[in-house]
Amino acid sequence: ADGQGSGVGTLTLRASEDGGPFVDAAVAGDQEVKFTGKPGSTYRLLGVGRDLVGREEAVEGKEPLVVKVGRAVAFAPGLHLVALPLAPEDLKGILAQIKGKWAWWHGGTQRFHQAGEQEAWPDPEGVPGQGFWLDQREPTQVVLTGRFVAADKPIAVPLAKGWNLLGNPFPVPLPWSLEKIQVRSGGKTLSLREAQKAGWVEDFAWGWNGKEY
C-alpha cells in the first residue's frame, strides 16, 4: 500500500443475470454482502473492491462465480399428489430426478399419461395448477427451477369437460373448500358451490392427504 487511499472502502458484488451485462447487485463497507436472485435465473457473480480514493479492482485471480437459483423439495417414499409452483424451464429434467413413477391426467383425452409418452408432455406455461401423481420408491430430493408463481396474485387453471386433476399452483398452502375454490365462465366468477347450482360443474373437489381422499 502506498499510504494514500489504501484500504478497501467498499466491496461491490456485481451480477450478470442469464448472460446479461454485469450490474451492481449489492454494496457493503465492512459488512458482509448479501445477494438475492430470482428463482429460475442463472447468475455470474464477481466481487469488485474500491479503495478510499475510488480505485476499483476485481478480486484477483478469481473467475466469476456461477450460481443457479432454485428450490429443493424432498419427497418420502410413497404416493404423492403434487403440483409445481412454477413454469419450468426443463420439465423433463425435473421429472427425471424422480426415483419412481409419475403420471398426469389429460383433461382432453380423459386418461392418465405416464413418463415415456413424449407426445403427452404438458405445456410448461400451463404447468402451474397441473396435478401430478408421484409414486416414490426411495427418499428423493428434487431441485425445481423455472419462473416461480407469485403467491399474491390469482391464477386461472383451464378446465376440460369431464374430470380434471389440479394442484396448488402456489408455494404456500391453499385453502381447499367449496367456497374458496372459484370457477369462471363467460366472464362471471362463482364459488365451486355456486357454480354447481349454475350447472357449470359438480360441487366436489377431492384432495389427497398422503393416505386417503
Side-chain angles (χ1 to χ4, degrees):
D2 57 12
Q4 297 181 359
S6 62
V8 177
T10 60
L11 176 62
T12 301
L13 183 65
R14 291 181 176 167
S16 164
E17 180 180 0
D18 295 330
F22 278 93
V23 297
D24 290 354
V27 180
D30 57 353
Q31 304 296 319
E32 65 178 359
V33 179
K34 294 183 178 181
F35 169 73
T36 302
K38 299 177 183 177
S41 294
T42 299
Y43 294 89
R44 301 177 70 221
L45 303 178
L46 183 65
V48 178
R50 178 178 297 174
D51 66 16
L52 299 178
V53 296
R55 293 175 296 196
E56 291 187 354
E57 184 176 358
V59 178
E60 185 177 358
K62 299 290 185 180
E63 291 294 327
L65 175 66
V66 179
V67 296
K68 182 76 173 181
V69 180
R71 175 175 298 178
V73 181
F75 291 102
L79 189 62
H80 303 269
L81 178 58
V82 302
L84 303 180
L86 50 73
E89 61 181 23
D90 182 10
L91 178 60
K92 294 182 182 181
I94 291 177
L95 296 177
Q97 302 174 58
I98 297 169
K99 298 178 181 179
K101 299 178 180 180
W102 67 266
W104 69 286
W105 179 262
H106 191 293
T109 61
Q110 288 291 289
R111 72 178 183 90
F112 281 105
H113 293 270
Q114 300 182 18
E117 298 182 53
Q118 301 299 322
E119 74 285 354
W121 286 91
D123 175 5
E125 290 299 319
V127 165
Q130 167 73 56
F132 292 86
W133 281 109
L134 304 182
D135 189 3
Q136 288 290 105
R137 294 192 301 263
E138 58 184 273
T140 303
Q141 187 175 72
V142 178
V143 178
L144 307 179
T145 58
R147 179 171 52 80
F148 278 73
V149 173
D152 58 348
K153 297 180 180 179
I155 288 182
V157 180
L159 298 178
K161 183 178 180 180
W163 289 99
N164 291 267
L165 181 61
L166 308 179
N168 181 3
F170 302 110
V172 295
L174 181 69
W176 195 258
S177 71
L178 298 181
E179 304 302 331
K180 294 295 184 180
I181 300 174
Q182 297 183 325
V183 183
R184 186 171 64 211
S185 178
K188 188 176 183 180
T189 301
L190 301 175
S191 69
L192 187 59
R193 190 188 305 278
E194 294 170 333
Q196 189 274 337
K197 295 178 181 179
W200 297 354
V201 294
E202 293 295 340
D203 61 341
F204 51 79
W206 288 307
W208 176 258
N209 64 8
K211 296 181 178 179
E212 58 185 7
Y213 288 103

